[in-house]
Amino acid sequence: MSVKKSKTKDLSEQFIVDELLRFWHSMSHYPVYLHNLRACWRAQSEDRDSPYREAYRLALKRTEM
């Protein structure tokens, strides 16, 4: 499996996804916050100018409720 590099900060998508999911799990006791967090991630995943668009899309997919 190849890992894509970000165009702006040279971070791999997998690293970003892992960090997003780590934060997700640390906030798991705040369900309202998680709903808002997913809304933010959804907006980022739909933003064509976002360098981390695919990472946010993958994080959303892995946190589906």
Side-chain angles (χ1 to χ4, degrees), residues 32-47:
V32 172
Y33 183 77
L34 293 180
H35 176 74
N36 293 337
L37 184 60
R38 289 194 88 241
C40 175
W41 290 359
R42 188 173 301 107
Q44 287 293 321
S45 72
E46 295 170 354
D47 180 4

Side-chain angles (χ1 to χ4, degrees), residues 8-60:
T8 58
K9 292 195 179 190
D10 203 31
L11 296 174
S12 73
E13 272 184 8
Q14 188 58 51
F15 174 78
I16 295 167
V17 170
D18 290 345
E19 290 301 308
L20 290 171
L21 293 176
R22 182 188 336 245
F23 184 67
W24 172 268
H25 292 297
S26 74
M27 302 307 279
S28 63
H29 48 283
Y30 299 111
V32 172
Y33 183 77
L34 293 180
H35 176 74
N36 293 337
L37 184 60
R38 289 194 88 241
C40 175
W41 290 359
R42 188 173 301 107
Q44 287 293 321
S45 72
E46 295 170 354
D47 180 4
R48 294 187 185 271
D49 295 330
S50 174
Y52 303 118
R53 179 179 178 190
E54 186 65 16
Y56 282 106
R57 188 190 67 72
L58 292 171
L60 273 171

